[in-house]
C-alpha cells in the first residue's frame, strides 16, 4: 500500500569517457558489494512483500527518453504511482515528495522543490512532459492540486539531455489523470489541516465513452485550498496565510494506434495566476521500425504581482523604498519526438523542441527620504523574449544479455532580445544575448540476476539565464539589481554509481553521486547598486539510500530513506566553504505495519523525520546564519474501505518540538491532517 521510490544515476561535463571510468573506479566497492549480495539468491519472481512495498518494474520515460523499467534505468529515478499518492494526505503537491531521498521542500509562503542542495530555480518542473517556466530568482512553485495527479516521476541529478534547460539539480514530471474505465465517474476529496485551521476540497468527473470506431476520454477537476496563519510551538506565525484555486481539464480521443489529447489547467493565487493549454498527438507501432511518434503544442501564461516595502536608516535620514512589479509571461512551445528500433538489440529516441518565452514587466518604485519627506517616483517598462531550439537523441544498445549501454546528446541554440524598455516614458538602451550548448550523457546497467541491477551514469545539465538576469532592473531588499546580457548558462555534470536490489523481503536502492556545477549566476553589489555575474561554483558529493526489510509473520517493515552529502561552494574570489546552507544529513527512519481485514486494507507508519544542523557563509567567510538540527516524531495511517472510500490521517510533530529548517518558515506545532476521498 505504501510503496517507496527508486534511485539511479546522473550527469557530466567534458571528458565523458574519462569521468565515467573515474566514477566506476571510485564506486566499484559499492557495486562489488551489491554483486556479492546477489550471490546465491533466487530469481525475484513476484517478490511477495517486497513488491507490495516498492516496484522496480514500473516503466518510465523521463530517465533516458525511452520506456524503461526503473530497475534497468541508468538514472537516479523515483516513481510515485497512484497508490503512493492516494496513501498520503494531499495537503499540497510538495508534501507528497517528503519521503524521496535527496529532495527538500522549501516553505517560504509558496512551496518549491530543491534536489541535492540545488536551488529550486535549477530544478525542471514538467506537467505531462511539458516544462513550466519562471523568470524569478526563486524557482518554479508547484501549485498543482495533488488530487489530480496520476503519478510523479523524479530524476535526481543533471538531466538536460532528456529534459532541456533548468535540469541541473534534477527533474520532476507530474503526470495528471486522464479518463476513467467507466463512461462516468465522480470522486470527491475533503481535508482538514489543524495547524492552520485550513482545508482542501476537490472534485473530479472523468470517464471513457465509446464513440463509433474510437474512444473518447475526459477529465474535469476543480479544487480549492485555504490555510490561515500557521501555529507553531512558539506561537502563531503572522502573516503566513495561503490559498489557491485549481481548474484542470482533459479531453482525448483514441482511434486504434492514434491518440489526440487536449489537457488544460488554471492555477490561481492572490498574486500569481498560471494558465496552460496544450494539444498533443501520439501514435504507436506505426511501422516496424517506428514504435512511437508524438507531437505537442502548448501555451502558458503567468500573471504575477510582486510588492516590496523596505525601510533603512542612514544617520538622521530614513529611506523607504516601495516598489511593485506586474509581470506578464507568455510561453509557447512545440515538441516532436520519435522512438525507433533501427537494429536488433537497440532502441533510439530523437526529438526536436522549440520554445518562445516572452515577458513584459511594469515596475513602479517610490523612494521617500525623510527628512525632508521628498518622494521620487520611477516607472519602468520592459519587454523581452527568449527563443530556444533544441535537437536531442538517445541511443540504447544491449552489449550482452546482462549489460546495456546508453549514449545521448542535446544541442541547443538560445537567443534573447530586449525588445523595448522605458523609464518614465524615456527610452532606455536595449541589447541582445545568444548562446549555444552541446551536452552529453552516458550510462551502463549490468543485471547479473533478475533481482539485482548495478548502474553507472554521467549526464550534463544547464540553465540559461532568465530574462530578468539578462535585461531587467529590479529593486528589492534596498538593492537595485541591473541585468547583464553577457551572462553564460550555468552548467553541471553529475557522476553516479548505484545498485537496486529486490529479493525475498528486502528492498534496497542506493546511489553514490558527485556533481560539479560551474558558472553559477550570483549578484555582485557595490553599495545599493548590483548586477549579475557568472562567478560561483559548487561541488556536491553524497549517498542516497532507501532500504527496507519485512519481518515476516509480524507484518512489520522497518525502513529508512535518507541522503548524506557534503556540498562545497566555490566563490568567485577564490574562497571555498562547506558551510553552504545544505544539511549534511536529511531523511527518515520508520516502522510500517501493512494490514488487511476482509475487503479492507491499510497501513500504520511511525517515523522520525529530520535534518542535521546547517550553517551558511558568504564569499568573505563571514557566517551569515544557520539552523539547528532537528527530528520530529510522526504517524501516518490510511484505510482503504469497500465502495471506494479512503481515509488518511497524519499526526505531525507529536513531540511538539520547536524547529525551523534553514531558510524556511518555522515548523508547525503538534497537528493532524485528516482527508477522506469517495469515488462514485
Amino acid at each position: 500500500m505504501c510503496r517507496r521510490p527508486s534511485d539511479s544515476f546522473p550527469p557530466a561535463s567534458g571528458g565523458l569517457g574519462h569521468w565515467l571510468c573515474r566514477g566506476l573506479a571510485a564506486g566499484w566497492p559499492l557495486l562489488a558489494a551489491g554483486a556479492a549480495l546477489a550471490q546465491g539468491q533466487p530469481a525475484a519472481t513476484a517478490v511477495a512483500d517486497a513488491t507490495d512495498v516498492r516496484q522496480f518494474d514500473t516503466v518510465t520515460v523521463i530517465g533516458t527518453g525511452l520506456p524503461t523499467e526503473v530497475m534497468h534505468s541508468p538514472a537516479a529515478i523515483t516513481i510515485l504511482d497512484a497508490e503512493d499518492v492516494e496513501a498520503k494526505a494531499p495537503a499540497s503537491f510538495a508534501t507528497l515528495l517528503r519521503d524521496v531521498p535527496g529532495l527538500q521542500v522549501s516553505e517560504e509562503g509558496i512551496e518549491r522543490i530543491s534536489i541535492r542542495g540545488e536551488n529550486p530555480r535549477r530544478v525542471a518542473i514538467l506537467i505531462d512532459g511539458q516544462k513550466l517556466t519562471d523568470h524569478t530568482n526563486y524557482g518554479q512553485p508547484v501549485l498543482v492540486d495533488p488530487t489530480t495527479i496520476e503519478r510523479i516521476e523524479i530524476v535526481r541529478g543533471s538531466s538536460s539531455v532528456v529534459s532541456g534547460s533548468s535540469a541541473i539539480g534534477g527533474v520532476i514530471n507530474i503526470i495528471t489523470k486522464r479518463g476513467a474505465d467507466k463512461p462516468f465517474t465522480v470522486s470527491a476529496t475533503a481535508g482538514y489541516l489543524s495547524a492552520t485551521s485550513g482545508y482542501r476540497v476537490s472534485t473530479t468527473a472523468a470517464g471513457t465513452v465509446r464513440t463509433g470506431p474510437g474512444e473518447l476520454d475526459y477529465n474535469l477537476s476543480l479544487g480549492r485550498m485555504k490555510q490561515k496563519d500557521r501555529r507553531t510551538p512558539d506561537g502563531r506565525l503572522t502573516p503566513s496565510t495561503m490559498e489557491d484555486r485549481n481548474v484542470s481539464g482533459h479531453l482525448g480521443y483514441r482511434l486504434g494506434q492514434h491518440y489526440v489529447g487536449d489537457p488544460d489547467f488554471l492555477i490561481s493565487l492572490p498574486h500569481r495566476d498560471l494558465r496552460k493549454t496544450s494539444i498533443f498527438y501520439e501514435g504507436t507501432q506505426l511501422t516496424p521500425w517506428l514504435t512511437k511518434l508524438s507531437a505537442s503544442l502548448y501555451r502558458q501564461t503567468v500573471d504575477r504581482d510582486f510588492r516590496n516595502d523596505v525601510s533603512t536608516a542612514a544617520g538622521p535620514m530614513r529611506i523607504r523604498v516601495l516598489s511593485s512589479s506586474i509581470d506578464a509571461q507568455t510561453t509557447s512551445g512545440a515538441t516532436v519526438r520519435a522512438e525507433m528500433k533501427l537494429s536488433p538489440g537497440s532502441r533510439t529516441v530523437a526529438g526536436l523542441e522549440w520554445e518562445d518565452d516572452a515577458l513584459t514587466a511594469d515596475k513602479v518604485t517610490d523612494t521617500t527620504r525623510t527628512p525632508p519627506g521628498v518622494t521620487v517616483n520611477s516607472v519602468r517598462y520592459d519587454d523581452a523574449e527568449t527563443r530556444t531550439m533544441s535537437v536531442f537523441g538517445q541511443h540504447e544498445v544491449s552489449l550482452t544479455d546482462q549489460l546495456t549501454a546508453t549514449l545521448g546528446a542535446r544541442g541547443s541554440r538560445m537567443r534573447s532580445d530586449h525588445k523595448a524598455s522605458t523609464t518614465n516614458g524615456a527610452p532606455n538602451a536595449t541589447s541582445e544575448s545568444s548562446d549555444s550548448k552541446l551536452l552529453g550523457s552516458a550510462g551502463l546497467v549490468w543485471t547479473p540476476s533478475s533481482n539485482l541491477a548495478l548502474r553507472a551514469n554521467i549526464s550534463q545539465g544547464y540553465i540559461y539565464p532568465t530574462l530578468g538576469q539578462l535585461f531587467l532592473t529590479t529593486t528589492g531588499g534596498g538593492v537595485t539589481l541591473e541585468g547583464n546580457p553577457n551572462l553564460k548558462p550555468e552548467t553541471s555534470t553529475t557522476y553516479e554509481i548505484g545498485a537496486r536490489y529486490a529479493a525475498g523481503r528486502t528492498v534496497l536502492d542506493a546511489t553514490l553521486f558527485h556533481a560539479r556545477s560551474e558558472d553559477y549566476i550570483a549578484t555582485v553589489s557595490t553599495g545599493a547598486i548590483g548586477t549579475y555575474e557568472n562567478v560561483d561554483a559548487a561541488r556536491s558529493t553524497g549517498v542516497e539510500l532507501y532500504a527496507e526489510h519485512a519481518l515476516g509473520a509480524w507484518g512489520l517493515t522497518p525502513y529508512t530513506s535518507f541522503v548524506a552529502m557534503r556540498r562545497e561552494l566555490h566563490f568567485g574570489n577564490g574562497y571555498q566553504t562547506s558551510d553552504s546552507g545544505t544539511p549534511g544529513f536529511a531523511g527518515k527512519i520508520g516502522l510500517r505495519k501493512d494490514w488487511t481485514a476482509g475487503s479492507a486494507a491499510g497501513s500504520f507508519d511511525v517515523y522520525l523525520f529530520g535534518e542535521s544542523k546547517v550553517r551558511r557563509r558568504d564569499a568573505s567567510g563571514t557566517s551569515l546564519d544557520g539552523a539547528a538540527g532537528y527530528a520530529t516524531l510522526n504517524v501516518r495511517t490510511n484505510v482503504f474501505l469497500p465502495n471506494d472510500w479512503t481515509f488518511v490521517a497524519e499526526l505531525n510533530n507529536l513531540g511538539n518540538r520547536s524547529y525551523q529548517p534553514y531558510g524556511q518558515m518555522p515548523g508547525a506545532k503538534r497537528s493532524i491532517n485528516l482527508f477522506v476521498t469517495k469515488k462514485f
Side-chain angles (χ1 to χ4, degrees):
M1 286 295 176
C2 298
R3 293 180 288 193
R4 296 287 185 259
S6 80
D7 281 26
S8 84
F9 287 73
S13 71
L16 291 177
H18 166 74
W19 284 107
L20 179 59
C21 293
R22 177 174 172 175
L24 285 170
W28 185 252
L30 177 61
L31 299 182
L37 184 65
Q39 298 303 315
Q41 295 290 346
T45 53
V47 188
D49 296 345
T51 55
D52 289 337
V53 176
R54 184 166 183 168
Q55 291 186 329
F56 288 142
D57 58 352
T58 302
V59 174
T60 177
V61 174
I62 194 174
T64 65
L66 291 161
T68 305
E69 290 183 355
V70 170
M71 184 67 140
H72 302 105
S73 174
I77 294 181
T78 293
I79 304 294
L80 303 180
D81 65 12
E83 272 192 66
D84 296 314
V85 174
E86 291 176 358
K88 299 179 182 179
S92 68
F93 167 79
T95 58
L96 302 178
L97 304 180
R98 292 188 185 276
D99 294 347
V100 180
L103 267 69
Q104 286 182 293
V105 177
S106 174
E107 288 186 306
E108 298 171 281
I110 297 178
E111 293 177 327
R112 294 177 171 87
I113 309 297
S114 64
I115 299 179
R116 293 180 177 173
E118 293 288 5
N119 185 293
R121 187 174 63 83
R122 302 182 179 108
V123 175
I125 306 295
L126 285 64
I127 295 184
D128 296 321
Q130 297 173 348
K131 189 182 306 175
L132 299 179
T133 57
D134 185 87
H135 286 280
T136 71
N137 290 327
Y138 309 107
Q140 176 66 53
V142 187
L143 306 171
V144 177
D145 186 337
T147 65
T148 66
I149 296 173
E150 179 67 26
R151 72 174 187 167
I152 307 168
E153 302 178 340
I154 304 108
V155 176
R156 300 186 301 282
S158 308
S159 190
S160 286
V161 169
V162 174
S163 300
S165 180
S166 301
I168 284 182
V171 182
I172 298 174
N173 185 28
I174 304 164
I175 300 171
T176 58
K177 296 176 181 177
R178 295 187 181 180
D181 56 2
K182 299 178 181 179
F184 181 73
T185 63
V186 175
S187 66
T189 297
Y192 172 70
L193 313 169
S194 73
T196 57
S197 298
Y199 68 88
R200 178 180 289 280
V201 292
S202 62
T203 184
T204 298
T208 300
V209 180
R210 184 79 180 180
T211 59
E215 290 182 339
L216 181 73
D217 66 278
Y218 64 91
N219 186 297
L220 176 63
S221 297
L222 306 173
R224 180 175 176 84
M225 179 273 287
K226 188 171 184 178
Q227 299 187 50
K228 299 179 182 179
D229 288 334
R230 173 181 293 185
R231 291 191 289 268
T232 76
D234 301 315
R236 191 179 296 272
L237 185 63
T238 304
S240 60
T241 60
M242 295 181 290
E243 62 178 299
D244 66 50
R245 295 182 299 275
N246 287 262
V247 179
S248 63
H250 164 83
L251 184 65
Y253 185 74
R254 179 175 298 281
L255 179 61
Q257 299 164 304
H258 306 277
Y259 185 82
V260 178
D262 178 22
D264 302 272
F265 62 87
L266 164 66
I267 298 170
S268 178
L269 290 173
H271 299 292
R272 184 186 183 100
D273 293 338
L274 183 148
R275 296 173 175 85
K276 190 165 186 176
T277 302
S278 65
I279 184 170
F280 68 92
Y281 162 81
E282 182 178 283
T284 57
Q285 304 299 327
L286 301 179
T287 70
W289 60 270
L290 182 59
T291 57
K292 180 181 289 186
L293 177 66
S294 60
S296 66
L297 294 170
Y298 65 90
R299 180 180 175 85
Q300 169 192 300
T301 62
V302 178
D303 298 321
R304 178 175 173 268
D305 186 356
F306 174 77
R307 301 178 186 275
N308 190 51
D309 189 350
V310 176
S311 297
T312 58
M317 180 177 290
R318 183 176 180 83
I319 302 174
R320 181 187 183 190
V321 179
L322 178 62
S323 61
S324 66
S325 179
I326 299 176
D327 301 341
Q329 177 188 334
T330 302
T331 305
S332 300
T335 302
V336 178
R337 55 193 296 147
E339 297 175 17
M340 299 164 282
K341 288 187 177 181
L342 302 177
S343 63
S346 73
R347 298 187 301 164
T348 303
V349 60
L352 177 69
E353 294 181 356
W354 167 81
E355 183 180 89
D356 187 297
D357 201 8
L359 176 69
T360 60
D362 288 285
K363 301 180 184 297
V364 178
T365 303
D366 293 324
T367 303
T368 303
R369 291 176 171 83
T370 306
V374 176
T375 298
V376 177
N377 176 263
S378 175
V379 179
R380 180 175 173 117
Y381 170 80
D382 289 281
D383 183 1
E385 181 181 36
T386 294
R387 294 174 299 280
T388 304
M389 179 67 76
S390 299
V391 179
F392 67 93
Q394 289 259 99
H395 182 68
E396 177 191 279
V397 58
S398 298
L399 302 177
T400 69
D401 290 341
Q402 298 178 330
L403 185 64
T404 302
T406 304
L407 295 173
R410 174 183 286 259
S412 300
R413 175 70 178 173
M414 297 77 68
R415 178 183 174 86
S416 298
D417 292 293
H418 196 185
K419 300 191 295 183
S421 178
T422 62
T423 300
N424 295 331
N428 299 318
T430 57
S431 57
E432 62 182 35
S433 177
S434 63
D435 201 281
S436 58
K437 209 72 189 172
L438 179 63
L439 305 171
S441 63
L444 287 173
V445 178
W446 177 41
T447 312
S449 69
S450 59
N451 53 22
L452 175 68
L454 308 177
R455 63 192 190 275
N457 194 60
I458 298 174
S459 187
Q460 295 179 300
Y462 82 104
I463 177 171
Y464 189 66
T466 68
L467 290 170
Q469 293 170 335
L470 289 170
F471 303 127
L472 305 190
T473 296
T474 58
T475 300
V479 177
T480 298
L481 291 175
E482 298 178 347
N484 179 3
N486 297 315
L487 290 173
K488 300 183 294 183
E490 300 177 345
T491 59
S492 68
T493 300
T494 304
Y495 317 97
E496 290 186 347
I497 57 172
R500 296 187 180 100
Y501 176 79
R505 303 180 185 276
T506 302
V507 176
L508 181 144
D509 197 351
T511 302
L512 177 65
F513 66 88
H514 176 70
R516 306 173 65 87
S517 303
E518 309 289 345
D519 293 324
Y520 272 179
I521 297 173
T523 57
V524 178
S525 302
T526 303
I529 304 296
T531 187
Y532 297 96
E533 301 285 352
N534 294 103
V535 294
D536 297 340
R539 305 287 183 265
S540 302
T541 303
V543 60
E544 296 163 339
L545 177 68
Y546 179 87
E548 66 174 54
H549 180 74
L551 299 177
W554 293 353
L556 298 176
T557 302
Y559 67 90
T560 184
S561 173
F562 69 84
V563 59
M565 65 179 293
R566 174 187 172 90
R567 181 170 170 82
E568 187 176 82
L569 296 180
H570 294 215
F571 293 99
N573 62 0
Y575 178 71
Q576 302 177 16
T577 179
S578 59
D579 292 333
S580 60
T582 301
F585 180 90
K588 63 185 294 187
I589 182 170
L591 182 66
R592 186 180 66 252
K593 165 68 175 179
D594 298 323
W595 59 267
T596 58
S599 55
S603 68
F604 186 82
D605 189 0
V606 182
Y607 62 93
L608 289 171
F609 180 88
E611 298 178 352
S612 60
K613 67 178 181 180
V614 174
R615 286 194 300 174
R616 171 85 180 196
R617 297 184 186 274
D618 63 14
S620 67
T622 302
S623 180
L624 298 177
D625 49 20
Y630 72 91
T632 62
L633 177 63
N634 312 271
V635 173
R636 178 192 297 138
T637 184
N638 52 63
V639 180
F640 299 89
L641 296 175
N643 300 318
D644 291 321
W645 283 94
T646 301
F647 295 89
V648 181
E650 293 178 343
L651 286 74
N652 306 305
N653 194 12
L654 293 178
N656 206 33
R657 175 167 184 176
S658 176
Y659 70 98
Q660 182 173 3
Y662 178 73
Q664 301 183 39
M665 298 190 302
K669 64 181 297 184
R670 184 188 298 116
S671 61
I672 184 170
N673 299 335
L674 291 172
F675 280 82
V676 59
T677 298
K678 168 61 177 174
K679 298 179 182 179
F680 301 92

